[in-house]
Structure formats: structure tokens, C-alpha cells
Amino acid sequence: MKAVEVFELTKIYTTGFGKQTVRALNNFSIEVEDETIYGLLGPNGAGKTTLVKILLGITNLSTGSAKILGQNVSDYTIRKETGYLPENHRFPPYLSAEEVLKFVAESNGINPKSINSKIDELLEMVNMTKWKKAKVKTYSKGMMQRLGLAQSLINDPKLVFLDEPTDGVDPIGRKEIRDILARLKAEGKTIFINSHLLSEVELISDKVAILNKGNLIKEGSVDELTTSKEIYKLSFDGNVLESDIIDISSKYHLESQSENIFTAKLENSEQLNELIDALRKKKILIKSLLPQKNTLEDMFISLINESDKEVKNG
Amino acid sequence: MDNILVLAKYTFKEALSRKIFLTFFAVSSLVLFVFLYMAVTIENSAIFEFFRANDNATGISERIAEAVQGGITFYLFAGGLFLSIFSVSSFIPNMLEKGMIDVLLSKPVSRAQIIIGKFLGGTVIVYANIIYVVVGFWLIVGLKLDTWNFYFLLTSFAITFTFMVLYAMIILTGILTKSSILAMIISYLIFFILSPLLAAKDNIIGLFESSTLEVILNFFYYIVPQTAELAQITNYISTGTFEFDTLPIFVSFLFMILNLAAAIFIFNKKDY
Ligand SMILES: Nc1ncnc2c1ncn2[C@@H]1O[C@H](COP(=O)(O)OP(=O)(O)OP(=O)(O)O)[C@@H](O)[C@H]1O
Ligand SMILES: [Mg+2]
């Protein structure tokens, strides 16, 4: 069973008495495997929140189908197995952390008396034990976010949706949240994260999808997306001049980055080995040879730019 | 069913923590206290004199109690509903606030359950207050005149029923507009102006002798909840008279069901 299956999903919002329409999701299909962390990336307004809201029955879909944990999203009982941290969430300001957790537990059909130890455990996990009895209205943004994370886990969900979980959280807090997520994954939960903090998603996600203006423009593992197979970075022992390798540089697209660092653009591993042989013949000492890594951010920016250009041109 | 009860319970809790319940309770207590003060300070003989009665006439206490309670019923009906409408009009708009509704809707509860839970929660809050005032008055009058009119206690149901009819409309308005002020204005409009006006439709029609007006007024008469008639019925009930036209009860009940159904239907269609 897949944790999430979305097939040819389209969402059109109508606003202003049905006059204006916004195509928030356009023929969108993804699958999320069980027990993985899935990162959904995209610029503001890409449709990330819309997708999560559809999966949780908060927003209705226009066409296509969406399932979570094997059930259609219209079946509200399946949400016993899900947790959700909404973006910009609010809790009744007159409740305390403990009361919020009890309320959320109760609306999940859990007897609030039976979960005192679970509440303590969760508050401990998000470092909010001190604030257990304090009213929500006295919390800072980061504290709200921590409480939001705790409430999303109160029913021990199989599948958790986190919309910008580290929004407003300081760097130490963010690291804590990443550790929590890794632990949840180890416990067998599936985690679906919306974010535009790419460096963070990069650190924890098994798979990422990139969304722009409602279109899925790329999906794959972080490695797949950030490794460009054909570009290698070579560093040599001692200075190598461009003139030394002028005869092979055009064949292997060698480009000097600095005195002893070059990049090579190669078609396959056959070519890679030929290049090594050629360099060895010249008695050049190779110190290291690495496939070039882009950060997810580099890749993200170039993909979004490309996709925006395509939209403009046609 | 469990879901509905949980939602009703939290509606109740919300009223408690927002001090809505407390305000309601304090106003009720104040009114009861003033009445109690009057009961203690005014001599029985003065009351009998006021009603120009002979002390020895049999059943006179009962008749005075009935008259006093009839007067109270009127104020209780108007005052009780005024306060109740005020108390509940913000429930739905608060629930729909961005960030709050997301958490609620992501829970394993259906939207119909949410509406019904809010409806029942609000009704319980109002009933608790109304019964408090009604029993309070009943005890004061009973102790003072040593006569116990049990029919008076039934008015708590009649008032709460009228409240439920208007509350259904408040919920629908809240879902449609997210505005507590508008919900309040519409209820007060119906309660204090429209329904009393329509209750007197025959007089108005007689005055203008226009058949189009007659059609229009009759049309509205059957779609606007008949709270003025319900007030009349409440008065009858308080004296143990049960021979009244029950049509207003059915029309109002239908209005309530239709409003709730429409609220659920529209809530289901909405994106949050
Ligand atoms: N309730 C709504 N009614 C109308 N349009 C909406 C509604 N919610 C979202 N939209 C539109 O849908 C598009 C996608 O919005 P969405 O909130 O899903 O983006 P997002 O990727 O989560 O953005 P962000 O990173 O800023 O949170 C936007 O153009 C937005 O204006
Ligand atoms: Mg968003």
C-alpha cells in the first residue's frame, strides 16, 4: 500500500462570485511510499498547501483522484491515522498546551484521560514541558510551531503532513525538529513535508517533488536531483596548465576552475576511463575525481526558471 | 455520535472560557436577585391589593401566580432569546478562523458532525441558563405565594425551542458569511420586527386591501420562523393552556431543519 496516491489531480479555485478562477494544481500525479520522508518543494503559491489540504479533506478536489493509506480522501474515518501541522495554524488562545493536545486527541476519538503520559512524552520531545499549563496566547512563534508538531503526533499517526514545520523556528530548534522527523521515520511513519527551505528538505527527505504554478516539474530522490552524472570535478597534484592538456580538453570538455582544478563533461564511464588514461599518459597526478554535486537549491532555481520560461513561450 | 458529543462539549468549553457563559449566568442571576429582593420586601397583602383581590377567595394565589408568571414569561422569552442569540452568534465565525478550521477539518470528523455538534453544544448552553432562570422564578413565586405551577417550568422548553430555530439560521449565516454581526442582526430583525409584523399580517392586509401585498405577506409568513407566535404559545403553556394552533411550531421546526441541512450542504462544498 502506498501512503499517498494522487492521480491526475486538478484543483481550480473560484473566487469573487465564480468570476475568477485559479488553477492551483494542474493534472498532478505523485505516489509516496510507506515509511519514507517525502518533501514537496515549490515557490510561494505553487500549490503545496492546496495539495495537502486536498489530501486531508479540508479542500475539495476538482478532478482526478486522491488516496491516502489506500482510502479515498473523502472517507473522513481514514484521518484517524493521519496527523497534520497546518501552516500558520492557530489554537484557541484560551487553551493551554495540555488542553490543546487533549482537544486534538478527543477529536481523534481518543479518551483524553488515557493519554496523560503521551502528552508528557510529546511535550518533552518538542521541548515544551515547561509550558504545559501556559495558555497558547502567551507563546512565541517557535513555541506555537513546536506545539503544532506535538499535536500532529498525538494519535500516533501512520502518515503525518507537515506544512512548513520549521517556519519561525531558530536553527537549534530546526535541528531538533529534523532529529525528531528522522526518529519518526525510524518508527515506521511516513512523513510528507511542504517547504521552501531546500537545504533542510535536502537533509532529511528520501524523495522530493518540485512544484511550480500547480505543475509537477521534477520528482526523484535528492541524490538523483542533485547529482548531474555527466560533470566531474578533477583535482590534480601540482599545477596543471591549460596548455598542457590542450590536445584533450576539447574532447572531454575540460574547463579550468582554478590552477589545479578542472571540470570535465563526459558522456559515460567509458569516456571517464579514457580521460584518466590520457591524463596518466601525460604523467599528471590525479588527486581526486568527483561527480559534481549541485545543491538542491541550485537545481531548484534553474528548474523553476526553465519552467517559467516554458510557460511564457507557450 | 461520539464525534458530535466531543464537538458539543468543546463548544460548551469555548463558551465557558470566553466568559460568554459567565456573562449570561451573571445577568440571569442579577435579574433573579432583583426579583427575589422584591419578593422579600413586598408584603403579600400589597400584592393582593394590587390585584384587587379578596384574601379569602379560594384559588386567588394561583391566579395571581399565573398572572405574575405570565408577565415574567414574556420578559423571559424576549430577554432570554436576546442574550442567547448574542452568546452563540460568534461560534461558527470563530471556528472558521484561518488556522483553526484546518486543524478541526483534518480530524476524523465529518462536516455534518461538526455542524450538529455546534448546534447541540450551543443549545445545551442556552438551555442550562434558561432552566436556571425559570426554576429560579418558579421557586421565588412558589415560596412567596405558596402555589406551585408546574406548567411554568415547561416554558424552558418552549424558549429553548425558539432559540434552536433561530440558532439554525445563525449557523447557516455564519457558514455563508463568517460574520457574527450579520447573524445577530438577522436574528434580531426576525425576532423583534419581521415575525411580530407578519403575525399581524391580517390586520395589515385589511388596512391596505391589496391582493399582491396579501400574497407577499403570506409567502413570508410561512418562510420566516414564527417567533412571535411561539412567544404566544409559550405564554399559553405557562398557564397550562394547550389549546393553541400548532402550525407555527411545525413551520418553525421545518425552518430549523432546512437551515441546518443547508448549512451542512454548503459547509461540505466549501474549501478552507
Ligand atoms: N481558498 C482559496 N481560494 C482561492 N484561491 C486560493 C485559495 N487557497 C489558495 N489559493 C490559490 O492557489 C494557489 C496555490 O496556493 P497554495 O497556498 O497552495 O500555495 P503554496 O505552495 O502553499 O504557497 P506558500 O509557499 O506561499 O505557502 C495560489 O495562487 C493561491 O492564491
Ligand atoms: Mg503553503
Side-chain angles (χ1 to χ4, degrees):
Chain A
M1 190 185 60
K2 300 271 194 292
V4 174
E5 287 164 274
V6 170
F7 184 69
E8 295 187 352
L9 179 67
T10 295
K11 172 64 194 179
I12 298 168
Y13 284 112
T14 45
T15 48
F17 298 101
K19 296 283 190 296
Q20 260 165 322
T21 60
V22 178
R23 195 174 270 264
L25 290 172
N26 190 14
N27 215 358
F28 191 90
S29 302
I30 55 162
E31 284 183 351
V32 176
E33 300 289 337
D34 264 346
E35 304 186 22
T36 58
I37 299 185
Y38 192 93
L40 186 61
L41 305 172
N44 293 130
K48 305 181 295 293
T49 299
T50 300
L51 177 63
V52 167
K53 283 184 173 178
I54 288 172
L55 293 175
L56 287 164
I58 299 164
T59 291
N60 299 299
L61 54 83
S62 302
T63 60
S65 76
K67 285 184 179 178
I68 54 174
L69 303 167
Q71 294 293 316
N72 220 299
V73 291
S74 60
D75 174 8
Y76 69 87
T77 56
I78 192 62
R79 300 203 287 269
K80 270 196 162 64
E81 308 284 353
T82 60
Y84 177 38
L85 167 64
E87 67 178 348
N88 309 321
H89 59 283
R90 296 192 45 207
F91 298 113
Y94 46 83
L95 296 183
S96 66
E98 184 181 24
E99 288 166 328
V100 166
L101 294 178
K102 284 200 168 157
F103 167 63
V104 174
E106 253 186 296
S107 36
N108 269 300
I110 301 168
N111 182 350
K113 290 196 184 71
S114 69
I115 55 157
N116 286 325
S117 61
K118 179 87 188 165
I119 287 177
D120 290 339
E121 181 195 316
L122 284 173
L123 288 177
E124 174 78 48
M125 185 182 87
V126 298
N127 236 330
M128 286 281 292
T129 309
K130 272 201 303 238
W131 299 88
K132 182 176 170 183
K133 303 276 182 197
K135 298 269 184 260
V136 165
K137 64 182 166 214
T138 65
Y139 289 5
S140 74
K141 191 160 186 218
M143 285 156 66
M144 278 299 278
Q145 207 65 8
R146 286 157 190 263
L147 176 60
L149 183 61
Q151 66 78 33
S152 73
L153 300 170
I154 191 79
N155 55 333
D156 217 346
K158 285 199 185 116
L159 171 62
V160 192
F161 294 92
L162 306 173
D163 202 343
E164 313 280 358
T166 56
D167 192 27
V169 180
D170 61 36
I172 294 169
R174 274 188 267 180
K175 167 84 169 77
E176 284 168 10
I177 290 179
R178 283 202 300 273
D179 292 344
I180 291 170
L181 298 186
R183 206 162 89 206
L184 294 176
K185 182 187 152 188
E187 283 170 19
K189 299 190 194 307
T190 308
I191 301 167
F192 191 107
I193 304 181
N194 278 359
S195 187
H196 31 227
L197 284 176
L198 299 140
S199 50
E200 239 168 70
V201 171
E202 186 167 7
L203 291 173
I204 47 172
S205 301
D206 298 301
K207 205 167 178 190
V208 295
I210 293 176
L211 191 57
N212 190 30
K213 302 200 170 118
N215 295 300
L216 178 66
I217 55 176
K218 196 105 185 176
E219 193 193 22
S221 72
V222 173
D223 269 349
E224 277 165 30
L225 293 187
T226 54
T227 313
S228 52
K229 284 194 189 71
E230 65 276 35
I231 297 181
Y232 289 84
K233 197 180 202 175
L234 294 150
S235 54
F236 304 123
D237 214 358
N239 283 358
V240 174
L241 298 175
E242 258 180 281
S243 54
D244 296 346
I245 50 171
I246 191 115
D247 51 329
I248 55 171
S249 65
S250 68
K251 186 172 178 198
Y252 302 106
H253 305 280
L254 285 173
E255 266 174 45
S256 152
Q257 304 292 312
S258 67
E259 282 178 347
N260 49 7
I261 296 176
F262 285 76
T263 55
K265 201 169 177 191
L266 304 170
E267 260 138 44
N268 47 37
S269 37
E270 186 77 17
Q271 262 203 337
L272 174 64
N273 285 288
E274 279 173 30
L275 172 63
I276 295 170
D277 291 342
L279 290 168
R280 294 296 299 131
K281 228 181 231 164
K282 288 177 182 292
K283 300 280 180 227
I284 295 173
L285 267 182
I286 303 170
K287 213 160 93 184
S288 71
L289 187 149
L290 290 167
Q292 174 88 59
K293 279 250 180 194
N294 289 318
T295 61
L296 196 51
E297 189 149 333
D298 299 333
M299 202 266 325
F300 179 81
I301 291 169
S302 72
L303 275 174
I304 298 291
N305 284 342
E306 254 169 56
S307 111
D308 282 350
K309 243 180 257 160
E310 267 166 40
V311 171
K312 249 179 230 153
N313 297 339
Chain B
M1 195 60 209
D2 282 354
N3 286 342
I4 293 177
L5 290 182
V6 167
L7 285 155
K9 178 176 144 190
Y10 274 91
T11 307
F12 195 90
K13 274 200 171 173
E14 177 182 348
L16 275 184
S17 34
R18 281 178 187 260
K19 311 275 190 292
I20 290 170
F21 197 79
L22 195 72
T23 313
F24 206 151
F25 189 75
V27 173
S28 312
S29 302
L30 185 72
V31 172
L32 278 178
F33 186 77
V34 169
F35 193 72
L36 180 66
Y37 179 77
M38 279 162 55
V40 171
T41 51
I42 300 172
E43 298 273 334
N44 270 16
S45 56
I47 301 175
F48 285 91
E49 203 172 299
F50 180 79
F51 284 94
R52 287 193 186 80
N54 181 339
D55 280 48
N56 304 319
T58 50
I60 187 65
S61 295
E62 281 81 1
R63 265 179 287 149
I64 291 177
E66 218 168 71
V68 171
Q69 284 171 338
I72 294 170
T73 307
F74 175 77
Y75 287 105
L76 203 59
F77 189 86
L81 283 171
F82 182 85
L83 276 179
S84 333
I85 290 166
F86 188 77
S87 309
V88 301
S89 62
S90 63
F91 285 170
I92 295 288
N94 282 340
M95 177 186 87
L96 294 180
E97 255 179 62
K98 241 182 153 42
M100 300 246 222
I101 186 70
D102 301 272
V103 179
L104 186 59
L105 291 180
S106 73
K107 298 297 148 210
V109 290
S110 73
R111 297 195 183 188
Q113 287 168 343
I114 293 176
I115 297 282
I116 295 169
K118 285 276 158 190
F119 182 68
L120 292 183
T123 301
V124 169
I125 291 163
V126 166
Y127 185 71
N129 259 293
I130 303 265
I131 192 82
Y132 167 66
V133 189
V134 167
V135 169
F137 276 124
W138 181 74
L139 281 175
I140 296 169
V141 173
L143 290 170
K144 179 76 179 164
L145 299 170
D146 194 25
T147 150
W148 303 94
N149 169 19
F150 286 94
Y151 293 116
F152 182 67
L153 295 178
L154 293 180
T155 57
S156 64
F157 296 114
I159 296 171
T160 308
F161 171 72
T162 311
F163 162 76
M164 288 163 84
V165 172
L166 290 172
Y167 186 31
M169 190 216 62
I170 289 172
I171 288 179
L172 176 62
T173 313
I175 292 287
L176 281 171
T177 66
K178 294 188 191 175
S179 160
S180 52
I181 304 285
L182 192 68
M184 226 151 61
I185 291 177
I186 295 178
S187 331
Y188 289 144
L189 207 66
I190 291 177
F191 187 63
F192 289 109
I193 299 174
L194 227 48
S195 179
L197 210 66
L198 290 170
K201 70 178 164 61
D202 292 339
N203 298 342
I204 300 172
I205 292 164
L207 218 58
F208 291 97
E209 289 178 3
S210 147
S211 57
T212 19
L213 186 72
E214 187 176 344
V215 172
I216 292 170
L217 286 183
N218 273 322
F219 172 74
F220 279 109
Y221 182 73
Y222 290 107
I223 62 162
V224 172
Q226 304 182 342
T227 52
E229 280 83 349
L230 291 176
Q232 193 61 52
I233 288 174
T234 308
N235 235 319
Y236 283 133
I237 290 175
S238 79
T239 61
T241 314
F242 291 100
E243 282 125 39
F244 46 76
D245 184 7
T246 51
L247 186 66
I249 298 178
F250 288 112
V251 171
S252 303
F253 184 75
L254 195 67
F255 177 88
M256 177 181 94
I257 297 295
L258 286 177
N259 272 268
L260 281 180
I264 291 170
F265 180 78
I266 292 165
F267 192 33
N268 265 320
K269 293 252 168 281
K270 283 223 168 189
D271 293 331
Y272 290 97

